[in-house]
Amino acid sequence: MNNKELTRIEEMGNHTIDSGTKVGTIGGTLVSFIASLNPADLLKTAILSMVGAAVSFLTSLLLKQVIRWLKSKDFW
């Protein structure tokens, strides 16, 4: 092996990635992810998250009222 071949092998072992390759890889991944999204699933997810947040909020209000009521009755 000559000096040029050894330098090439050392460069290959370094595994440096060009910034253009990084951008291309990330861009391709994002595009394929976005293309696989179904608008109906996104809408369903948004609605379910709103319902879940509302139920959680109302449950916390209800529990707060129950605790106040129990404290007023000297339950605790």
Side-chain angles (χ1 to χ4, degrees):
M1 281 188 178
N2 61 24
N3 220 6
K4 188 176 180 181
E5 290 174 347
L6 286 175
T7 304
R8 176 72 180 142
I9 291 171
E10 289 172 1
E11 287 175 0
M12 289 171 55
N14 193 9
H15 295 292
T16 57
I17 298 176
D18 184 19
S19 64
T21 304
K22 287 182 186 178
V23 170
T25 302
I26 292 171
T29 302
L30 287 175
V31 167
S32 67
F33 174 73
I34 290 171
S36 70
L37 293 177
N38 185 355
D41 287 340
L42 290 176
L43 180 62
K44 182 170 57 172
T45 301
I47 291 171
L48 287 174
S49 66
M50 287 187 287
V51 169
V55 168
S56 175
F57 178 72
L58 293 174
T59 302
S60 66
L61 289 179
L62 179 66
L63 286 175
K64 190 183 290 188
Q65 291 298 323
V66 168
I67 290 171
R68 284 184 187 162
W69 181 77
L70 290 175
K71 283 184 177 180
S72 70
K73 300 292 182 187
D74 282 335
F75 186 76
W76 272 309

